[in-house]
Amino acid sequence: MSSLAANSIILYLLVAVALVMLGLYGLLVLKDPIRRLIAINIMGSGTFLTMIAFARRQDPPDPILHALVVTGLVVAISATAFALRLILAARESREAAASGSTEAEDE
Amino acid sequence: MTVELLPDLVLCVLLLVVAWSALFASTRRDAMALFVAFGMIVALVWARLGAPDLALAEAAIGAGLTGVLLLRAARKLPVSSARRFDYRRHLGALTFIVVAVSGFAVSIILPSPADITANNIDSPVAAAMSDSGVSHQVTAVLLNFRAWDTFLELLVLLFAITGLRQLFPIEKESLEPARTWQLLVSWTRTLVPLLLLVGGYLLWRGSSGPGGAFQAGALLAAGCVMLRITGMLPPLHWSSFAVRGSVCAGTLLFLCTAVLTHSLGAGWLDYPEAHAGTLILMIETLATLSIAIILTLLVAGERKDLCS
């Protein structure tokens, strides 16, 4: 495996910082729960990218960081699934509370 | 030098542009589609950074399963209302972010490029590979040296599925579509056998190359989700022993191994050297089964699957 130039690694680290900032910005500014969830996931990708870019400093990349990120990916999707279910449940309980006044609210 | 940098630059620009548009697309549907595209580009970045294990997992989980998850949930939510642009909110958010992240950015920019790549320390993993039982470093870390992480991660999946089940009683009867798109059905018939084959191969291959329980589990889950969505697979009733058993199988085998190695062997999850390879393969097989079933339930689980 050819080793990656130091400049590329710095580039990826900067992009990782940019992704975290972008996700944080979206999280603070957006109102739609699904978009907020996407923002959190983008922040997560930024974190993973930092770890993998650091792992690439050695020539065979550091397997410990790779293993941590594989674990992180699975945890991220289970958290996303749980958060989506929470969003739906919150939405439904709000609907149930307001069902007396407005019945047909779906799209 | 600059020519070498070109593919990285293209990937980075794509990544940032798609991430921006996934957040601020005009409709929520576009945002979700772009987020799936973002997952694909991230998978390419992992491949470029020499992490094929991650590229496989990201392509299956980040781009595939997350997309299905979001699209299915958004079906039940109302269309998002138009956004009002409030300058003070945006300025406040920007200042907060710049202050919060600047420390990290500076610590990356300040040292010279030579400093960043200078510490070529010999990894302790490479030195310990001979008694790990497998020949692929990432698999060795996941299932031997840091098996605790994988064990706890299976527990996280169990927690997620338990939490999901608690939230169902609020929901009314789900709106399962009566019609399925014919093209989706025929694609599913073609793709699912292939997914099974590739999943099995990745599981077997994991001991010597990129692949392993997570990637195989995610691929199998993708197959199950497709079958479940098109209605070709009947609901996975939670009450059936087979479903519960396969959800818990990976964690239980891990726990048994931990207890046995603690009482008979060297310590918690410290495998005997002679049997390490067999043990890892057994744990990986059951973990694949558990991960596949749990991810299927997390992504495509309806009331019928989880509460009956």
Side-chain angles (χ1 to χ4, degrees), chain B residues 17 36 47 74 77 83 114-115 118-119 170 180 235-237 245 247 276 282:
Chain B
V17 169
V36 174
L77 287 172
R83 288 169 287 133
D115 287 345
N119 48 350
I170 309 168
T180 30
L236 308 155
H237 293 290
V247 162
M282 273 168 60

Side-chain angles (χ1 to χ4, degrees), chain B residues 165-185:
Chain B
R165 288 194 66 230
Q166 307 311 311
L167 291 170
F168 262 95
I170 309 168
E171 204 197 19
K172 298 167 295 218
E173 212 33 59
S174 57
L175 39 139
E176 194 67 30
R179 60 199 159 71
T180 30
W181 194 27
Q182 203 52 47
L183 195 60
L184 181 65
V185 174

Side-chain angles (χ1 to χ4, degrees), chain A residues 24-41:
Chain A
L24 202 55
Y25 180 59
L27 194 61
L28 288 172
V29 165
L30 294 169
K31 288 282 176 81
D32 181 28
I34 294 228
R35 284 178 204 256
R36 284 189 168 173
L37 205 53
I38 290 180
I40 293 177
N41 271 302

Side-chain angles (χ1 to χ4, degrees), chain B:
Chain B
M1 189 67 182
T2 41
V3 181
E4 275 176 28
L5 211 56
L6 200 60
D8 301 315
L9 272 175
V10 171
L11 275 177
C12 287
V13 170
L14 256 178
L15 201 61
L16 288 178
V17 169
V18 174
W20 174 266
S21 29
L23 285 174
F24 299 102
S26 55
T27 67
R28 186 201 280 148
R29 192 179 293 254
D30 292 351
M32 289 184 298
L34 281 162
F35 184 60
V36 174
F38 177 76
M40 278 319 294
I41 299 168
V42 173
L44 285 178
V45 170
W46 296 153
R48 171 73 184 160
L49 283 171
D53 293 275
L54 275 174
L56 285 168
E58 178 78 41
I61 294 179
L65 292 175
T66 312
V68 181
L69 198 59
L70 287 175
L71 287 169
R72 278 173 65 82
R75 218 173 40 166
K76 297 177 191 157
L77 287 172
V79 193
S80 59
S81 52
R83 288 169 287 133
R84 277 183 298 112
F85 198 83
D86 181 359
Y87 274 103
R88 286 177 55 195
R89 252 173 84 88
H90 282 250
L91 272 181
L94 273 179
T95 346
F96 172 72
I97 289 158
V98 168
V99 171
V101 191
S102 57
F104 183 59
V106 166
S107 69
I108 289 175
I109 298 166
L110 273 188
S112 68
D115 287 345
I116 279 200
T117 43
N119 48 350
N120 256 328
I121 15 146
D122 275 331
S123 137
V125 175
M129 277 308 286
S130 60
D131 48 87
S132 70
V134 288
S135 56
H136 184 53
Q137 291 196 349
V138 178
T139 310
V141 171
L142 272 174
L143 285 142
N144 196 340
F145 305 140
R146 292 186 66 95
W148 265 107
D149 289 356
T150 311
F151 176 49
L152 291 176
E153 189 249 341
L154 285 173
L155 275 183
V156 168
L157 281 173
L158 269 183
F159 276 134
I161 200 92
T162 319
L164 212 64
R165 288 194 66 230
Q166 307 311 311
L167 291 170
F168 262 95
I170 309 168
E171 204 197 19
K172 298 167 295 218
E173 212 33 59
S174 57
L175 39 139
E176 194 67 30
R179 60 199 159 71
T180 30
W181 194 27
Q182 203 52 47
L183 195 60
L184 181 65
V185 174
S186 41
W187 264 113
T188 307
R189 290 219 169 98
T190 322
L191 281 179
V192 167
L194 273 175
L195 280 175
L196 274 177
L197 194 69
V198 177
Y201 172 73
L202 280 182
L203 171 62
W204 181 251
R205 175 95 183 119
S207 57
S208 58
F214 297 104
Q215 292 85 352
L219 277 185
L220 293 184
C224 288
V225 165
M226 282 176 86
L227 287 176
R228 187 71 195 88
I229 285 177
T230 50
M232 285 188 239
L233 193 73
L236 308 155
H237 293 290
W238 181 256
S239 54
S240 94
F241 182 74
V243 172
R244 291 188 190 197
S246 40
V247 162
C248 301
T251 320
L252 284 181
L253 180 63
F254 239 127
L255 199 61
C256 289
T257 319
V259 170
L260 281 178
T261 47
H262 177 64
S263 50
L264 305 174
W268 280 88
L269 290 174
D270 193 350
Y271 309 137
E273 236 177 84
H275 306 292
T278 332
L279 259 177
I280 287 179
L281 193 64
M282 273 168 60
I283 291 178
E284 271 204 302
T285 313
L286 283 191
T288 304
L289 181 70
S290 292
I291 291 171
I293 299 291
I294 293 179
L295 283 180
T296 308
L297 288 173
L298 283 178
V299 172
E302 291 284 345
R303 198 186 171 79
K304 275 178 291 193
D305 300 300
L306 286 161
C307 298
S308 63

